[in-house]
Amino acid sequence: MMHKNYLRRVGGNKLLGLAATGALLLAGCGDNAEVMPQTLPDYYPLSVGSYRIYDVADTVWRDNVPTASRFQFREQVLGAPEPDAAGQPVYQVVRSRRNSAAEAWRVDSVLAVTVAPLNITEQFNNRRTVALVFPAVEGKSWSYNAFNNQDSVSAVTRFYQQIDQPFSISRNGKSYEYANTITTVNDLKTGDNNNATKLIVQRTTFALGVGPVYRVSRSFKNDCSGSQGCRFPFVRNVGQSRNQVLIESGK
């Protein structure tokens, strides 16, 4: 049963430290569209004891040969949030994995989700990234890696697409439908993501009152070892493709 708890909003007008400065810069990045008059709904709800289960389709490529696997992830909030250095709540989301519904869950990793007035960030393997920026406006852009050393705060690497739109997807013969979603995608027009040597795709759809319901990540490197340069059409010399579909959530 899909839970309907909304994440907690943090009041106050003052942001402290570097994280707050980055948040303010992120909020203004690439925003040339008209701001929605209503307050942004909660597309990433978090509460103690809540969980989401994803069906994961994963494919690893070596020398253009794919090896596919299927498994499940469970993301669960086990404890109350703790404040960070700027006073913003940080939720520890424990990710567990199992190969099938018949197996027991085994802890895989921990995801730290920080809820600030102007953005929501995720930290995984000591890398903090910006999942959402307030408000959600079609075409609004920001730096996905503003809080790590891969990009600058002013870099444009993520943007909103398909704001307040319905979304449906099928998995294992079952359909999942959501009336109100927003989607974030990486900027495929930049040479850092899409060129003759590599292809990187990142896409996440968030449903109102539910959270992330669909994640796609693809990263491929072309075969450029020959004397003629990179192969065409694109050869997946190495890479990985993974998509995650939410199949259950609750508390």
Side-chain angles (χ1 to χ4, degrees):
M1 177 179 179
M2 295 291 180
H3 66 80
K4 298 182 179 179
N5 295 308
Y6 288 158
L7 61 84
R8 299 165 59 188
R9 292 198 177 282
V10 182
N13 296 321
K14 294 185 179 180
L15 299 180
L16 305 178
L18 177 61
T21 302
L24 289 170
L25 289 171
L26 284 164
C29 238
D31 185 10
N32 295 318
E34 183 181 357
V35 176
M36 293 185 299
Q38 70 271 25
T39 302
L40 177 71
D42 295 326
Y43 287 93
Y44 206 141
L46 297 163
S47 62
V48 177
S50 63
Y51 71 90
R52 303 184 185 95
I53 296 177
Y54 297 89
D55 183 80
V56 183
D58 190 77
T59 304
V60 177
W61 296 78
R62 293 290 184 272
D63 297 325
N64 217 36
V65 177
T67 301
S69 62
R70 295 288 291 271
F71 53 90
Q72 293 182 344
F73 274 144
R74 181 184 67 187
E75 297 179 357
Q76 186 174 23
V77 182
L78 295 181
E82 297 289 338
D84 64 7
Q88 312 304 332
V90 181
Y91 293 81
Q92 300 298 318
V93 181
V94 177
R95 176 179 284 175
S96 301
R97 174 174 170 163
R98 65 185 181 186
N99 291 327
S100 69
E103 294 186 4
W105 291 106
R106 294 182 297 175
V107 174
D108 177 83
S109 53
V110 177
L111 176 71
V113 182
T114 301
V115 182
L118 298 178
N119 61 60
I120 296 177
T121 65
E122 299 174 327
Q123 183 166 322
F124 183 71
N125 288 338
N126 295 318
R127 180 188 175 204
R128 187 180 179 188
T129 55
V130 183
L132 294 171
V133 169
F134 299 153
V137 179
E138 184 78 24
K140 181 181 179 73
S141 60
W142 66 93
S143 174
Y144 181 67
N145 293 300
F147 293 102
N148 61 60
N149 59 10
Q150 295 194 18
D151 284 318
S152 67
V153 172
S154 60
V156 177
T157 53
R158 203 76 159 187
F159 64 93
Y160 281 121
Q161 186 180 78
Q162 299 175 344
I163 299 296
D164 296 330
Q165 296 295 312
F167 177 80
S168 63
I169 190 168
S170 297
R171 189 67 133 215
N172 299 326
K174 185 176 180 179
S175 295
Y176 302 89
E177 298 182 355
Y178 306 93
N180 191 311
T181 68
I182 58 177
T183 297
T184 66
V185 296
N186 64 315
D187 189 355
L188 287 176
K189 298 187 295 293
T190 65
D192 291 339
N193 293 324
N194 189 2
N195 54 42
T197 63
K198 63 182 179 180
L199 173 65
I200 299 174
V201 175
Q202 293 178 330
R203 179 185 181 96
T204 304
T205 297
F206 302 81
L208 176 64
V210 181
V213 297
Y214 182 55
R215 298 181 178 124
V216 176
S217 62
R218 299 186 184 99
S219 179
F220 300 118
K221 290 185 178 180
N222 196 2
D223 183 0
C224 300
S225 59
S227 59
Q228 302 300 317
C230 298
R231 298 274 297 276
F232 290 99
F234 197 100
V235 172
R236 296 173 176 85
N237 188 39
V238 293
Q240 183 178 25
S241 175
R242 173 177 291 181
N243 66 75
Q244 306 177 42
V245 176
L246 182 70
I247 59 173
E248 181 183 338
S249 66
K251 186 175 181 181

